[in-house]
Amino acid sequence: MNTKITAGIDIGSITAKAVVMEGDKILGARVQFTGYTAKKAGRDVFDGMLGEIGMPPDRVECIVSTGYGRNSIDFADKAVTEITCHGAGAWFVNPEVRFVVDVGGQDSKVIRLDDSGKVVDFAMNDKCAAGTGRFLEVMARALEVDLDDFGELSLAGIPAKISSICTVFAESEVISLIARGETRENIIAGIHESAASRISAMARRVGLVLPVMMTGGVAKNKGMLAALEKKLDAPIQVSEYAQVNGALGAAILAARM
Amino acid sequence: MSDMNKKTVDPGKDNRKIKSVSRMKEIMTHYYIDAKTARESGKKVAWITSGGPVEPLIAMDVIPVYPENHGAMVGASKMGVDLCQKAEEMGYSSDLCSYARADIACAATQGGPIGGLPEPDFLVCCNNICGTVLKWYEVAARYYKVPLFILDTPFIHREMRKEAQQYVMSQIEEYIAFLEAQCGRKMDYDRMTDVGRLAVEGLRLWQAVLDTAAHKPSPITAFDLFFHLGLIVTLRGTQVTVDYYQGLLDEMNERIANNIAMVPGEKYRLLWDNLPVWYKTRWLSDKFASHKACLVADTYTSAWSGVLPLIDEDRFLETMSLSYSQVYINISHDMMIDKLSEMIRKYDADGLVMHSNRSCKPYSLGQYDLQKMVMEQLGIPTLIIEADMVDERHFAESQIETRIDAFMETLKS
């Protein structure tokens, strides 16, 4: 049995995540805000996680970094992109999975896997944060709703039409919907539908294959999940490690090194 | 942390430098000096589109000037954003081609890397590369108050019909009459025949240079070809171009004989589609090289010599109607996929990288369909990166870096 101790560190635009594993067993995981420097966030989330489980850093044999800040983690043995890591993480949770939808802070990506878990094709949002966690955050703020309640409220509404694909313009659209007396629930449902449309267009471009798994912090949002299931016309599994899936994949790849 | 950031000692670096580069710079400098001093030497200057028929101009001793080549210089010298913004201030849309925006701004401000292009005596516009050039050249014609000749080449879906050939042929006759009127003298057809032969010779040599990349490891990359392409575009039909490419070809063959790889330890061979990202060629070149990937060929630099089979050098003027109508971006996707497949086989490419170029709509339209066709019919992975050839505001470095790294990870796995 593989007892190699490995870690994965995923530095995203909003949060930093770390996972430590012994072979196939997850020993610990941690999420914190990335803050100003990716480098410091990487060190802190790694040390914090090891502190929680009382493991000295020198026991970790191999570290893989991923995410936007992957190249700033100088104590990692290798940097791997979040595409490969999310594929590996989802595959670990359920090897039946052929398609991964990851919605993170400032990007959303879709990844198609083959029978052996290898990435066949992928797409990411380009130069625009519509259809990402940040888009939902901006909208929640405009509507003065706590982000944690945002998804739940969306399930109670009939989607109002949000036509702009730009986050900034969509915010003004939301403000005018409020002025017109549209209910908060309907507006929120519309926002989720708009974000889901962007992601499903990417998924169809790459070629949707079932089963689908959703990863990333936004997978916790039930409204987003429902909107995506509707747009993709397919059930979506949510990994219990959704938010740390990239770091999990990185730790798995570290075990293979 | 990435391979790119590691400082390594590279003893082969000097060996890999292409010696012809200095000769190329010398020729281009002379060419621009000649163009800028044309008035003093009593020569005419014509602005012409990159895919336009330059040979009759050479035969008439007119100096051809290429706003698009100039646009590439603007991009490579990273002056694109300022000039594009200037054009936007003048009222041009930010969706307009960045070559057009940069060039229009240079004309209005005498700005850019060479202080603006020499003023034209007349303009020659061929729409085989895009529709934007029509309006762009109309703007230039009004601005400089000079005559404009438009050569209209029909889009080719599968084959070029006789009627279409005759239509273009009759315009080539009009083109020559236009040149005779502008220059105040008759065309010397013996000279035209010689120029035609030199053009074909230059194209053959250029194609032979491109073909050296079929060797493993490749002695040259597409990033080098983007630079060496200059003469086949601007001075096709001259002896200086023939001599230059003969020298470059000899140098490449020598590299093959000495087994010099442009990308040390070449492991992956990729094809590039669309124009270069002029302001990022070094960055992209280093990025791919860090993955031991060599861009062995591209649809752009091969576009000029790609029409060689259509030219009969003994009937150069007549066959111009065929060759100028069937350049790579004036043909259907069915014809494009044929060309792509041929290149993928010839250069034994492992993957295809497509630049979705915000400026160049006819080149970028349908890339997702082409991507699908390449993946399904040829089974090789493709990557699309969104950028712009000159306007750096459309280049998101960390997003593009992630895409390239992820693409290379899938190729390696």
Side-chain angles (χ1 to χ4, degrees):
Chain A
M1 195 188 139
N2 186 359
T3 54
K4 188 174 172 184
I5 294 185
T6 62
I9 302 173
D10 177 6
I11 309 295
S13 60
I14 299 175
T15 55
K17 285 81 64 175
V19 165
V20 61
M21 297 180 84
E22 180 175 9
D24 284 348
K25 214 172 114 212
I26 298 171
L27 300 179
R30 185 180 164 89
V31 181
Q32 67 175 57
F33 284 109
T34 302
Y36 184 62
T37 61
K39 193 172 170 174
K40 189 173 176 302
R43 188 81 248 179
D44 289 353
V45 74
F46 179 70
D47 289 346
M49 171 183 67
L50 294 183
E52 280 168 18
I53 59 165
M55 180 185 278
D58 57 6
R59 284 207 48 207
V60 180
E61 293 164 72
C62 190
I63 303 170
V64 165
S65 59
T66 187
Y68 269 96
R70 66 186 179 281
N71 290 328
S72 4
I73 309 303
D74 52 10
F75 58 95
D77 296 282
K78 198 180 176 186
V80 177
T81 65
E82 47 274 38
I83 304 287
T84 305
C85 290
H86 275 282
W91 178 256
F92 171 81
V93 174
N94 179 3
E96 300 287 309
V97 165
R98 292 292 174 274
F99 205 87
V100 184
V101 175
D102 171 70
V103 185
Q106 73 173 28
D107 64 30
S108 44
K109 43 193 153 314
V110 294
I111 306 160
R112 185 149 56 93
L113 302 173
D114 70 7
D115 302 351
S116 61
K118 195 181 141 230
V119 176
V120 184
D121 198 9
F122 66 91
M124 292 170 85
N125 64 315
D126 251 288
K127 296 184 204 76
C128 168
T132 68
R134 189 66 93 187
F135 175 77
L136 299 174
E137 243 179 51
V138 168
M139 296 305 149
R141 202 171 53 215
L143 285 155
E144 294 176 0
V145 171
D146 195 80
L147 197 57
D148 293 332
D149 306 327
F150 208 49
E152 207 70 57
L153 281 168
S154 139
L155 295 173
I158 301 152
K161 193 161 172 49
I162 313 275
S163 47
S164 181
I165 53 164
C166 166
T167 305
V168 177
F169 291 159
E171 190 177 359
S172 0
E173 233 182 304
V174 163
I175 291 164
S176 59
L177 285 171
I178 298 169
R180 266 192 270 145
E182 188 63 83
T183 71
R184 189 173 285 199
E185 287 78 5
N186 290 357
I187 297 173
I188 296 174
I191 289 162
H192 284 80
E193 186 181 59
S194 152
S197 304
R198 298 272 292 178
I199 298 163
S200 77
M202 260 192 324
R204 301 212 182 272
R205 204 165 78 201
V206 166
L208 185 67
V209 203
L210 305 182
V212 186
M213 180 178 275
M214 185 170 175
T215 64
V218 179
K220 292 193 288 188
N221 177 325
K222 290 195 176 62
M224 191 65 198
L225 188 69
L228 257 176
E229 284 187 323
K230 201 169 134 201
K231 285 278 169 201
L232 294 178
D233 194 21
I236 299 174
Q237 309 173 19
V238 175
S239 161
E240 61 176 304
Y241 304 106
Q243 198 178 9
V244 296
N245 185 63
L248 174 65
I252 292 160
L253 293 175
R256 289 186 202 156
M257 277 169 64
Chain B
M1 180 59 226
S2 76
D3 296 345
M4 245 177 110
N5 300 335
K6 277 183 194 153
K7 291 237 179 331
T8 45
V9 184
D10 182 3
K13 204 174 169 195
D14 281 345
N15 274 340
R16 290 198 305 276
K17 268 191 190 146
I18 298 176
K19 294 173 194 75
S20 302
V21 166
S22 56
R23 175 70 186 134
M24 172 82 173
K25 284 183 180 160
E26 205 180 289
I27 298 171
M28 287 308 271
T29 307
H30 276 291
Y31 157 67
Y32 271 110
I33 291 172
D34 281 351
K36 284 233 174 199
T37 55
R39 288 265 143 73
E40 290 93 89
S41 53
K43 283 195 171 183
K44 298 262 186 207
V45 168
W47 284 13
I48 181 167
T49 51
S50 66
V54 66
E55 293 85 355
L57 291 176
I58 303 280
M60 293 294 278
D61 252 337
V62 174
I63 301 180
V65 165
Y66 286 80
E68 289 158 79
N69 175 267
H70 180 235
M73 283 166 59
V74 167
S77 46
K78 301 188 199 306
M79 298 169 103
V81 174
D82 279 353
L83 289 164
C84 286
Q85 271 169 346
K86 174 76 202 158
E88 288 156 27
E89 284 167 23
M90 289 164 72
Y92 292 95
S93 160
S94 62
D95 289 324
L96 178 66
C97 158
S98 53
Y99 275 177
R101 269 179 292 152
D103 240 40
I104 288 167
C106 280
T109 61
Q110 274 80 51
I114 56 165
L117 284 176
E119 287 190 19
D121 293 294
F122 57 91
L123 307 162
V124 179
C125 172
C126 179
N127 64 356
N128 59 351
I129 49 160
C130 68
T132 303
V133 288
L134 294 174
K135 292 294 152 194
W136 177 5
Y137 275 58
E138 280 174 9
V139 167
R142 281 199 297 272
Y143 185 82
Y144 291 107
K145 299 183 180 65
V146 292
L148 162 65
F149 183 83
I150 293 171
L151 184 78
D152 175 37
T153 49
F155 186 83
I156 310 299
H157 292 274
R158 248 300 151 200
E159 55 178 331
M160 193 168 176
R161 297 165 67 104
K162 237 189 170 64
E163 298 80 0
Q165 287 178 40
Q166 279 160 357
Y167 170 63
V168 179
M169 193 55 228
S170 68
Q171 291 178 76
I172 286 168
E173 285 161 13
E174 284 170 36
Y175 175 36
I176 288 170
F178 171 82
L179 294 183
E180 290 176 337
Q182 294 306 315
C183 299
R185 63 173 186 281
K186 288 285 169 198
M187 166 66 88
D188 174 346
Y189 282 93
D190 289 336
R191 175 88 206 283
M192 184 61 230
T193 304
D194 291 343
V195 169
R197 281 186 206 287
L198 285 170
V200 171
E201 207 178 331
L203 287 167
R204 280 195 189 124
L205 285 164
W206 174 242
Q207 187 58 51
V209 169
L210 300 178
D211 289 348
T212 61
H215 184 267
K216 291 180 188 176
S218 174
I220 196 162
T221 76
F223 295 107
D224 305 300
L225 297 170
F226 295 153
F227 171 79
H228 293 280
L229 170 75
L231 292 182
I232 205 66
V233 180
T234 53
L235 293 174
R236 196 163 64 245
T238 63
Q239 188 64 46
V240 71
T241 297
V242 168
D243 294 344
Y244 177 75
Y245 288 122
Q246 184 61 59
L248 183 61
L249 179 62
D250 293 344
E251 194 183 343
M252 287 308 119
N253 283 328
E254 200 185 310
R255 288 162 81 99
I256 290 176
N258 295 323
N259 215 30
I260 296 173
M262 199 40 147
V263 171
E266 174 193 301
K267 267 178 91 173
Y268 305 98
R269 298 166 63 82
L270 305 174
L271 217 67
W272 174 272
D273 182 55
N274 212 313
L275 276 80
V277 184
W278 290 112
Y279 47 88
K280 284 285 176 188
T281 48
R282 168 64 70 81
W283 186 87
L284 284 164
S285 163
D286 288 349
K287 182 80 226 164
F288 283 106
S290 76
H291 289 289
K292 306 221 176 299
C294 178
L295 265 64
V296 286
D298 67 284
T299 57
Y300 171 65
T301 59
S302 57
W304 283 265
S305 48
V307 295
L308 258 174
L310 303 168
I311 307 175
D312 178 350
E313 59 184 310
D314 296 324
R315 293 164 53 236
F316 188 83
L317 276 178
E318 280 170 66
T319 47
M320 260 171 56
S321 63
L322 294 170
S323 59
Y324 280 101
S325 301
Q326 294 176 72
V327 295
Y328 187 74
I329 60 171
N330 202 44
I331 55 174
S332 63
H333 284 137
D334 290 337
M335 291 172 83
M336 278 182 169
I337 192 80
D338 288 348
K339 292 211 175 224
L340 269 174
S341 322
E342 192 192 315
M343 289 180 83
I344 287 166
R345 269 192 295 272
K346 182 182 195 176
Y347 298 100
D348 197 17
D350 305 302
L352 169 67
V353 181
M354 302 179 112
H355 167 206
S356 172
N357 183 353
R358 194 176 168 85
S359 273
C360 195
K361 280 84 177 173
Y363 216 143
S364 308
L365 181 80
Q367 273 177 322
Y368 284 103
D369 291 313
L370 279 175
Q371 179 190 38
K372 220 173 240 167
M373 288 160 106
V374 166
M375 287 174 94
E376 280 165 12
Q377 295 177 21
L378 306 163
I380 70 163
T382 58
L383 170 73
I384 294 187
I385 50 181
E386 294 193 8
D388 185 275
M389 56 200 182
V390 165
D391 191 343
E392 216 169 328
R393 291 170 293 178
H394 295 296
F395 190 90
E397 190 171 294
S398 66
Q399 272 86 346
I400 288 174
E401 181 171 33
T402 299
R403 273 164 190 70
I404 295 173
D405 287 346
F407 178 68
M408 291 312 301
E409 283 165 11
T410 53
L411 260 186
K412 289 173 192 174
S413 70

